[in-house]
Each structure stands twice: as structure tokens, then as C-alpha cells.
Amino acid sequence: AKLALHADGTDASTTFTDSSSSVKTVTANGNAQIDTAQSKFGGASGLFDGTGDYLTTADHADWILGGTFTIDAWIRWNAAPSSYPWIVGQYVDSNNYWSLLYDTGTSGLAFQVISGGSTIVNINKSWAVSTATWYHIAVVDNGGTWKLFVDGTQLSNDTSGWEQDKESIRTRSNEGFQESSYNLTDNTNW
């Protein structure tokens, strides 16, 4: 794994430890914190209250999407998602980013790759969120076939075959979570 956040720890702590083999420093922003009131595993989870809470890491070559990989997380919304909440992503600018998010415009889960202002990958599938329910969400790229899963069930895919020029996504950006009221645990990337 390139990043593994179990979100274990003491209630209200802002320390999020990366348990991957290539340990990265994770910075809590806003009121992002450990919460022991909700957990799927390990007795705690990350709490994001929807008002500017997110985690960041420094830019790293690990954030270049390519080859075969999986990005997954367990997530529990405390309130209905609003304002296109990202679950995880990398943002350079509005023309260059990738994100796994809840698309409030289509009421669905989405994975998008935007490069040079062009949509390269766009998987978007209607999916109703129930609050106070843990979901395992994953996006998988297996050599250019991108798939989106919830609780092991494939929702949608994109067979764009896009496997080149991923470097353009990686300019001084952050990998993080933002802008929704939810708990998150056992997030792993790659």
C-alpha cells in the first residue's frame, strides 16, 4: 500500500498514522480528528464534520495513477452528503485532478480523472446513501479498465484504456478527504 490510514487512536486526537510500507506524514486540517464513538475496526475512525475538515500529505510520486491499483475506504455518512464531497483525491487545479467522490448532482458515487481540462475517466453511478451505515467503497484500475464498487458489488466501469500521461496530475498537490460529515476508517491506496 502507498498509504494506509486505519484512523485508530485516542478520541479527538488529530494524529493520523500512515501504516503503509512507504510511511507519509499526514496532516489534519479543520476539525478532522479521531473519533471513538464510531468504528468499523479497531475502536476508532476519522471524523470529518463537513465544515472544512480534510487530511493532506505532501506531493509524492506515489500519487501518480498507473498500472493496476485499488483505492478503497470504509465510510459512514453522519448526514446526507452535500456539495460534491471528496472521499479521496489529488488536486492540482480545476483542470488537473483525480477524485473519488459522492456526486450530489447525480446522487451517485463517482471517480473522475481530469487532465489538461479534459475528462479522461468519468465513472458515475446513481447510488443512494443511507446515513449511519458503513460502506466499503473501492475504485480499481486493472490495466485501463476502471471499476467502481460498493460493498463488493460493481456499480459501473470505464474502459477508456487511459494508462499514460499520469505525470500531469502530480504537480504540488495534496491527497486528502474533504467537505462532508462522515467517519472514515481503513483507507488504503494502491
Side-chain angles (χ1 to χ4, degrees):
K2 305 291 184 177
L3 180 70
L5 300 177
H6 301 296
D8 294 332
T10 306
D11 195 44
S13 170
T14 58
T15 301
F16 288 81
T17 303
D18 177 12
S19 300
S20 72
S21 59
S22 58
V23 175
K24 313 228 178 13
T25 300
V26 178
T27 302
N29 296 275
N31 295 321
Q33 61 185 282
I34 302 296
D35 179 29
T36 57
Q38 302 297 329
S39 70
K40 179 70 177 171
F41 307 106
S45 62
L47 175 62
F48 305 86
D49 67 12
T51 56
D53 302 343
Y54 58 99
L55 304 177
T56 58
T57 67
D59 189 30
H60 195 280
D62 284 347
W63 307 146
I64 300 171
L65 302 178
T68 298
F69 67 86
T70 299
I71 300 170
D72 74 318
W74 283 93
I75 188 166
R76 177 188 184 275
W77 275 276
N78 299 316
S82 62
S83 71
Y84 298 89
W86 282 30
I87 298 166
V88 63
Q90 182 180 30
Y91 185 86
V92 176
D93 57 38
S94 61
N95 291 313
N96 299 283
Y97 64 90
W98 62 263
S99 63
L100 174 60
L101 70 144
Y102 189 83
D103 185 340
T104 54
T106 62
S107 298
L109 198 58
F111 180 75
Q112 302 170 337
V113 177
I114 309 298
S115 181
S118 297
T119 301
I120 306 300
V121 176
N122 186 21
I123 308 171
N124 194 318
K125 182 68 175 173
S126 290
W127 173 66
V129 168
S130 294
T131 58
T133 300
W134 283 101
Y135 296 102
H136 183 242
I137 295 173
V139 61
V140 176
D141 176 15
N142 189 4
T145 300
W146 304 69
K147 299 178 181 179
L148 191 58
F149 294 87
V150 174
D151 293 335
T153 300
Q154 183 178 329
L155 295 183
S156 189
N157 70 319
D158 180 319
T159 57
S160 66
W162 182 70
E163 284 298 314
Q164 70 280 357
D165 197 29
K166 292 167 179 67
E167 189 77 26
S168 64
I169 303 288
R170 186 185 68 91
T171 311
R172 277 189 291 205
S173 57
N174 297 319
E175 197 271 345
F177 313 97
Q178 66 184 17
E179 300 310 322
S180 190
S181 177
Y182 60 84
N183 290 81
L184 180 85
T185 191
D186 285 287
N187 172 259
T188 56
N189 296 313
W190 289 258

